[in-house]
Structures are given as structure tokens and as C-alpha cells.
Amino acid sequence: MTPQLQELYEVVLRRNPGEQEFHQAVLEVFESLAPVARKYPEFAQTKILERLCEPERQIIFRVPWVNDRGEVEINRGFRVEFSSVLGPYKGGLRFHPTVYLGTIKFLGFEQTFKNALTGMPIGGGKGGSDFDPKGRSDREVMTFCQSFMTELYRHIGEYTDVPAGDIGVGAREIGFLFGQYKRITNRYESGVLTGKGLGWGGSLVRKEATGYGAVFFGDEMLHARGDSFDGKRVVVSGSGNVAIYAAEKAQQLGATVVACSDSGGYVVDDAGLDLDLLKAVKEVERGRISSYADRRAGASFVADGSIWNIECDIALPCATENELDDQAAITLVKNGVQAVVEGANMPSTPAATRIFLDADVLFAPGKAANAGGVATSALEMQQNASRDRWTHEYTEERLAGIMRGIHERCAASADEYGAPGNYIVGANTSSFVQLAEATFALGVI
Ligand code: NDP
């Protein structure tokens, strides 16, 4: 980092105390930017980076609702609208008990760079709540979502801010949120939320897009080294939306996915995950991963320990931030891992990332590798705007093309800024230049 970037980073620390994940996300970007700062002195003169680190708007609100026992519960809702220089704010909502402002700011910051990388006209934002949907009835989830939207609706819109899902928010929650938005505004404004159900404005392939996109990106990286997913042993962490469809695409490309997890432990299935069973357990029953092992001959469940102790050629962390630390990285490298593709947002700690890069492991950062989800959300918005519906085949082809484009942009930018093969530098420099040029062009706003 240059002294100017270091100074600016210290300002970010001071202005955002206690928001460790946000600091981490900002530092990772700053560490890539020294050569860009030298090439474009005008960006520093107009304080582009300072502006990109300060969200355009941050909304925090009370979410009161009544549970099934008739008790009042109070949660906290967030929407951080980071940057709209490239398009309306776009980014998911996370419902998880660990959510606080720092989580949403880190996710919104990452999202802004990710969305720029897609090359599509979408700005960056993120939102959510410390509400925990786990163990709640459908009625409780609906009541919560309705209360959440009763405040959020005034801040969003097709041309303003377009939320989607993330951890704890899938098609069920998007349905309740969309229903309440429609009721309050008296508008069938399909483009206000993405990740909708297929019968009411959703897009084919959106559900699969983040996981499929991560594997498409990984495949591009492997091809650049004359390799592929075919015949590889793969470990996927998590067993939610991203993990399931990353596993599905990896298996379609000839890999064997031998493990997945949830916050209660992990499952090992050396024959390769039975994805129909996994979907039945996680998507239909909303059950725990341990019940997959109970019903699958040859599979075992491990309640303690790290999924990253399992030997694999390719690791796909698809659960949550900082789930893969330096110890896990050392073990993976020792066991011969060849590629790490982040399906989740910032799942590897900075120390783990350094270990992979030093060991010449192919490393795909989340903001590039998991951009297929938001890119397909933008395709959903296109279909909504044109009152059209595309086929599965066409939409998946568009997704694959977008992921190829992101890979090419990252690789070219890494070369240009003197770090060939480093997709972190490639992703950060490429997206920053695009955001900075637009921010510069729009004046001091
Ligand atoms: P889901 O809620 O569908 O699944 C999350 C999975 O991760 C679950 O298996 C969950 O286990 C596990 N998990 C969550 N928190 C923890 C934790 N603290 N410790 C261990 N395991 C945990 O979420 P998604 O699949 O949608 O999201 C996964 C990741 O991908 C997140 O980082 C998200 O930000 C990112 N992402 C998602 C996109 C999308 O389109 N959905 C787009 C781009 C990125 P359990 O059920 O036990 O909590």
C-alpha cells in the first residue's frame, strides 16, 4: 500500500469503529490499488476512494412483529445503499442472528465492486436483519417480512434500489416481501425485487445462478492452466442455495463432490453427494444436514471439526465469511488442493488467502466468482422490464457468457497491473477503475 492509501485506510477505521468485516473488505481492495493510484492521479484529487468507502445512504429501522405465542418481538432492519453510479442499488437481504451494521456494510462494499465487474448497469447495496428464520413457522416468517417491508418499501423501487436474497432469504421470504410491497404501493412492480418465484416474475436459472456461476468461473481458471473439473474431488462448505448448485454444476462437469456442511457439522459421502436427497432435506424439509447422512448409505456425519480437513483437489467455500482460516488453508495446501473458488462472500480470512497465493493455488475471490447470482438478477430485471420470459438454456448460456467475461476482465487487469494470475488484484483493479471513472464523470455528488 502507498502511504496515501494507508492514511485513507486509517480514516476508514476511525469513521467505522468496531466493524471488523467492513475493515477487512476495504483493506483487501486497498492492497490492490497502488498501481491504479499511480496511473490515475485525478482519482485521488477528487477523493474517489473516500467517496466509495462512504455509503450514499444507511438506513436502520425497528422491525416489531408478533410471534405464534402472541408475544411482541423486536428486530433491527438495515439497508445500506452504497453506490448508485452504475445503476440502481442492487444486493441481497440477509436474515441471520449475527447481522449488524458492519456485516451489511462489508457486504454492500463487496457488492458494489462485484456488480461493477459484471459489466451490467447495477449499483451496489445490501440489507438484512438480525432476525433468525430458523425454527420459525411460515406464519412467523411472513409476519416478520411484512413488518420489515412496511419500512423498507419507501426506500426501494425498480429504478432506486432492488433487493434480493442472501443467507436466510430465499423464494419464500422474497414472496412475502413482494406481496407486502405490492399491497402498500398498489403497483405490480416486478423489477423491485429479484429471486422471485417462477410463476410471478422470477427468472429461470436465478436459483442456480450463484453456484453455477462460481463453478463456471472456476472452470475458466482451470482451463487457463489446461485443466478442468472433470475427475476432480471437490469439497463444498454450506448446504444452502449457493452450495447446492455449486455442487450440482461441479458434478455435471464430471467432478465428485464428497462433502458439504451446515453450522452443525459436515457430511462426508465419498461416492459423491446425492443431490436429489440433499435438496429434499434442505429445500423441501428445511432440515439439518445430519439427516442427509441418516438416510444415505455410506455417508457419515461429523459434528465437530473442520470440513477443510477432507482431502480434495478443489475447495468451494459456500457458507459464510471467514469460515476458512489459516489453519484450514495450511491443511488444504498440504493435502494438495489445486483451486479454491469462493462461492460465499469473503469466506477466506486474509491469512488463508495469502497461504493459497504463496502456494500457487488458483484462487477465485468471491466478488468475481459469485457474481453470477447478481448478474442473473439483472437478467431477471431485463425480463421483467420487457415483459418477457427466457428459456433455461438461453438464460444459462447468458450466465456462462457473463462469467467468461468476468474471468477475462480479471485476468487482463491482473496482467495490466503487474500481478498475472492474481484474480484478487484483477477483480479489485478492474472494478475500481470502472467505478472510479463513473464517479469522476458524474461530478462531486
Ligand atoms: P443459505 O442461507 O441458503 O445457506 C447458507 C449456508 O451456510 C447454510 O448451510 C448455513 O448453515 C451455512 N452457514 C451460514 N452461516 C454460517 C455460520 N456462521 N457458520 C457455519 N455455517 C454457516 O445462504 P446462501 O447459500 O444464499 O449464501 C451463502 C453465501 O453465499 C453467503 O456468504 C452469501 O452472502 C453468498 N452469496 C449468496 C448469493 C445468493 O444468490 N444467494 C449471491 C452471492 C453470494 P445453517 O443452516 O446451519 O445456518
Side-chain angles (χ1 to χ4, degrees), residues 94 96 107 114 134 166-168 206 210 238-243 261-264 282 288 318-320 343-345 370 373:
R94 175 177 293 189
H96 194 274
L107 289 165
K114 176 189 317 196
K134 233 179 268 156
D166 190 82
I167 289 178
R206 175 59 190 90
T210 307
S239 51
N241 174 260
V242 180
S261 61
D262 62 19
S263 54
K282 299 302 292 190
R288 309 303 297 157
C318 295
T320 195
N345 283 312
N370 70 32

